[in-house]
């Protein structure tokens, strides 16, 4: 059973998040009772990973307006827009955030003739639907991706695209979990993923907990590990995929992709269809979040660089589509040329899971 990253507590009407800044040392759940605490949790990476950010933001809208005293549709709808704008300003790169907020806004529009209390209920149902659809999506990504793995293979991954990054089993790691469930022997090398160590703190934690063999390496070791022939394929997640197949993911992914290409190792990107942004032609149009200097100049043990040193801290990079062997989605596996294969997936009939 995978770890539960996000939960809606019906008794108290609160959003409960596993605080990922405390892992691997402590498993602490934090309750978000107002929109400011949801926005803070997303910004501070208490909840992170593109699909999980989308799910948290959907519940964030619910938390933000559930005690609204708006008397009519126009003022309630304005409050929803304000809540969505506040959440949209938390992190710019993962498109799932904006996709989920759009769904919440659409829900309000579709219930224009209902009472405010009915719309509040509809918003909660929509957030729960986004959550349960994500669980289903992760399962399907796992199934499509596991077909690409053979028993005895070793996968390198970067950052955390596991259960901690979604409402379900993950994206890249769902592939590993599914292969494992099918009885295949799979081992994972996890890049530690500086600056904030999602690979070391989160990926190795959740794989270890699931009983999957994992070897932690520093990011700078990936080239040598590939040269030694230890890696059969790379599987990573995505924060946003452009229409041409360029992939924005955690900083360092691009470097891993170039290394994989140099060593003839296939690189697979596993992502829900909601991470694919056909409105953006190429990776050049994807906004890259820049985070604070302290993430680079300080490590968990304290300061690692002089206080006055200048720091540049882009949180994501863009891997050109030519380095991507396939993109694994819940709708199927897209292969190059992506301009055609990703567009074709948009017509793919896909039924979301029935939600309760
Ligand atoms: O800054 P983070 O931890 O939110 O970055 C996460 C990643 O880059 C993941 O690889 C991506 O969101 C996919 S998660 C299924």
């Amino acid at each position: 059973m995978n770890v539960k990253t996000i939960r809606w507590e019906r008794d108290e009407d609160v959003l409960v998040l596993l605080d990922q800044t405390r892992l691997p040392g402590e498993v602490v759940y934090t309750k978000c009772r107002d929109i400011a605490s949801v926005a803070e949790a997303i910004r501070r990476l208490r909840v992170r990973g593109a699909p999980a950010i989308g799910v948290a933001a959907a519940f964030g809208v619910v938390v933000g307006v559930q005690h609204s005293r708006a008397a009519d549709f126009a003022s309630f709808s304005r409050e929803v827009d304000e809540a969505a704008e506040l959440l949209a300003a938390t992190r710019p790169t993962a498109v799932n955030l904006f996709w989920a907020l759009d769904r919440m806004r659409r829900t309000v529009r579709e219930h224009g003739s209902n009472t405010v209390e009915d719309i509040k209920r509809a918003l909660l149902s929509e957030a729960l639907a986004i959550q349960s659809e994500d669980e289903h999506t992760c399962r399907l990504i796992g199934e499509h991706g596991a077909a690409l793995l053979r028993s005895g293979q070793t996968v390198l991954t970067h950052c955390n695209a596991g259960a901690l990054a979604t409402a379900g089993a993950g994206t890249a790691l769902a592939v590993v979990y599914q292969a494992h469930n099918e009885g295949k022997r799979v081992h994972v090398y996890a890049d530690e993923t500086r600056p904030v160590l999602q690979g070391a703190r989160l990926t190795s934690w959740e794989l270890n907990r699931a009983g999957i063999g994992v070897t932690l390496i520093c990011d700078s070791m990936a080239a040598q590990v590939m040269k030694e022939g230890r890696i059969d394929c790379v599987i990573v997640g995505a924060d946003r995929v452009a229409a041409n197949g360029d992939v924005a993911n955690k900083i360092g992914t691009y470097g891993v992709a170039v290394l994989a290409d140099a060593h003839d190792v296939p690189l697979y990107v596993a992502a829900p269809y909601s991470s694919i942004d056909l409105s953006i032609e190429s990776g050049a149009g994807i906004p890259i979040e820049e985070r604070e200097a302290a993430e680079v100049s300080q490590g968990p043990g304290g300061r690692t660089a002089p206080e006055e040193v200048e720091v540049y801290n882009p949180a994501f990079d863009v891997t050109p589509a030519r380095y991507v062997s396939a993109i694994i989605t819940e709708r199927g596996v897209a292969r190059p040329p992506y301009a055609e294969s990703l567009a074709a997936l948009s017509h793919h009939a896909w039924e979301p899971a029935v939600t309760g």
Side-chain angles (χ1 to χ4, degrees), residues 1-8 14-21 23 27-32 41-42 45-56 59 131 134-135 138 160-171 177 202 205-206 209:
M1 185 61 192
N2 289 114
V3 60
K4 201 89 194 132
T5 302
I6 300 177
R7 203 174 71 233
W8 179 255
V14 290
L15 174 62
V16 183
L17 300 173
L18 174 58
D19 185 349
Q20 300 188 31
T21 62
L23 289 171
V27 178
V28 175
Y29 286 87
T30 177
K31 290 184 177 177
C32 299
I42 296 173
L45 313 184
R46 297 187 200 288
V47 61
R48 29 70 47 203
I53 292 171
V55 175
F59 284 117
Q131 180 186 31
D134 189 53
E135 287 175 38
C138 290
N160 173 266
L164 290 167
T166 65
T171 60
Y177 292 132
L202 310 177
W205 180 81
E206 72 164 86
R209 201 172 161 273

Side-chain angles (χ1 to χ4, degrees), residues 41-126:
I42 296 173
R43 207 174 292 116
R44 305 306 323 159
L45 313 184
R46 297 187 200 288
V47 61
R48 29 70 47 203
I53 292 171
V55 175
F59 284 117
V61 172
V62 175
V63 167
V65 298
Q66 66 182 348
H67 302 301
S68 161
R69 294 176 179 207
D72 56 48
F73 177 77
S75 33
F76 183 71
S77 162
R78 224 175 6 255
E79 287 181 24
V80 170
D81 283 345
E82 281 164 17
E85 270 160 37
L86 193 141
L87 292 161
T90 53
R91 299 195 72 191
T93 304
V95 71
N96 309 63
L97 171 66
F98 309 100
W99 167 86
L101 293 173
D102 282 349
R103 275 185 62 163
M104 299 303 278
R105 282 202 194 96
R106 194 183 334 132
T107 300
V108 174
R109 284 198 304 275
E110 283 170 1
H111 289 79
S113 53
N114 296 35
T115 65
V116 166
E117 289 312 308
D118 280 344
I119 306 174
K120 287 183 188 174
R121 276 189 284 276
L123 283 172
L124 177 58
S125 300
E126 188 67 9

Side-chain angles (χ1 to χ4, degrees), residues 4 10 62 74 134 144 149 177 200 207 210 226 289 302 313 330:
K4 201 89 194 132
R10 282 180 188 271
V62 175
D134 189 53
H144 290 305
L149 287 186
Y177 292 132
L207 287 173
M226 285 191 203
E289 176 182 9
N313 183 17
E330 71 276 27

Side-chain angles (χ1 to χ4, degrees), residues 45 47-51 53 91 94 158-162 165-166 170-172 196 198 202 236-239 249-251 270 272 289 291 315-316:
L45 313 184
V47 61
R48 29 70 47 203
I53 292 171
R91 299 195 72 191
H158 190 76
C159 193
N160 173 266
T166 65
T171 60
V196 292
Q198 289 94 332
L202 310 177
V236 293
D239 287 83
N249 191 48
K250 178 54 54 195
I251 191 75
E289 176 182 9
R291 295 184 62 86
F316 299 95

